[in-house]
Amino acid sequence: MKAAHLTVAITGASGAVFARELLRTLEADERVARVHFVASENSLRVIAEELGVSGRTDLLDKLLGAAPAKTIQHADLNIGASIASGSHPSHGMIILPCSMGTLAAIAQGLANSLTARAADVTLKERRPLLLCVRETPFNRIHLRNMTLAAEAGAVIFPVIPAFYNQPADSTEMARQFVYRVLAHIGLSQPGAYVWKPDE
Ligand SMILES: Cc1cc2nc3c(=O)[nH]c(=O)nc-3n(C[C@H](O)[C@H](O)[C@H](O)COP(=O)(O)O)c2cc1C
């Protein structure tokens, strides 16, 4: 993939460290030209709880640890943002982590926030939509919504990291999970763990 344009949304599910590693990896990837970033209002609460990063001001700088070079942030209320239209070029969208609330909005086609609208557009344009859902246990509504979203073309990519690579800490675990997500949309990462690479 060359000069990739991607959308990344963070919602209020647990797992802010995964979102941070995703944003950092995309910023560092020279094949990626533009990242459109949306943080739901409720994600801010979780980001504060889990990463100690508070407020919307300079959120990207704080998550990236530096000023963004290619990532631009859109307000979740801004349904007039570029990514709300199918005419805007995109190679896909990743929602990491994806709450059960946002999953429900997407599965029902509500398009009532920029995240839900951009996901709706991604599906109608037949572009990759990866929903990195996070909840446990799942109730029947969650399961039905995952089926609905999958039937509409989304990939349900639950936040279930691997352990067979023996990650040293939660950051490494999150990073390897992010590498699997990116490999799925054609952006394999050089540091990705491979099981039995010589076989
Ligand atoms: C610390 C914290 C952790 C949460 N973890 C989850 C979770 O793992 N999965 C989930 O679906 N909701 C979780 N929630 C609840 C969501 O934030 C809540 O349902 C919210 O309305 C989701 O809104 P959003 O999808 O617009 O971000 C959590 C809330 C808090 C405060």
Side-chain angles (χ1 to χ4, degrees), residues 1-26:
M1 192 186 291
K2 281 183 184 164
H5 288 232
L6 295 167
T7 297
V8 170
I10 303 181
T11 71
S14 184
V17 63
F18 292 87
R20 185 186 67 193
E21 292 309 307
L22 175 60
L23 290 168
R24 289 182 177 183
T25 303
L26 290 174

Side-chain angles (χ1 to χ4, degrees), residues 129-171:
L129 174 65
L130 274 60
L131 302 181
C132 300
V133 295
R134 217 254 34 133
E135 188 49 277
T136 194
F138 292 124
N139 65 33
R140 200 173 290 194
I141 295 169
H142 303 151
L143 294 166
R144 284 192 178 129
N145 283 335
M146 281 190 266
T147 300
L148 279 173
E151 285 171 351
V155 176
I156 305 299
F157 208 120
V159 181
I160 303 177
F163 297 92
Y164 51 81
N165 55 336
Q166 302 186 349
D169 52 31
S170 57
T171 301

Side-chain angles (χ1 to χ4, degrees), residues 19-28 35 37 53 58-72:
R20 185 186 67 193
E21 292 309 307
L22 175 60
L23 290 168
R24 289 182 177 183
T25 303
L26 290 174
E27 267 284 322
V35 178
F37 169 61
V53 170
D58 297 332
L59 176 63
L60 258 179
D61 298 57
K62 290 174 191 165
L63 290 174
L64 292 171
K70 66 179 75 159
T71 307
I72 55 173

Side-chain angles (χ1 to χ4, degrees), residues 7-116:
T7 297
V8 170
I10 303 181
T11 71
S14 184
V17 63
F18 292 87
R20 185 186 67 193
E21 292 309 307
L22 175 60
L23 290 168
R24 289 182 177 183
T25 303
L26 290 174
E27 267 284 322
D29 192 323
E30 290 179 356
R31 296 165 295 180
V32 178
R34 172 68 76 207
V35 178
H36 295 275
F37 169 61
V38 189
S40 78
E41 199 59 38
N42 296 314
S43 75
L44 300 181
R45 170 69 191 273
V46 182
I47 290 168
E49 295 283 348
E50 296 185 347
L51 299 180
V53 170
S54 54
R56 192 178 287 283
T57 311
D58 297 332
L59 176 63
L60 258 179
D61 298 57
K62 290 174 191 165
L63 290 174
L64 292 171
K70 66 179 75 159
T71 307
I72 55 173
Q73 188 170 357
H74 304 281
D76 204 19
L77 288 172
N78 183 12
I79 48 89
S82 56
I83 54 172
S85 171
S87 65
H88 196 78
S90 173
H91 293 94
M93 177 172 183
I94 301 166
I95 306 185
L96 172 59
C98 181
S99 74
M100 294 302 101
T102 292
L103 167 70
I106 294 166
Q108 301 300 326
L110 297 186
N112 54 351
S113 64
L114 180 58
T115 297

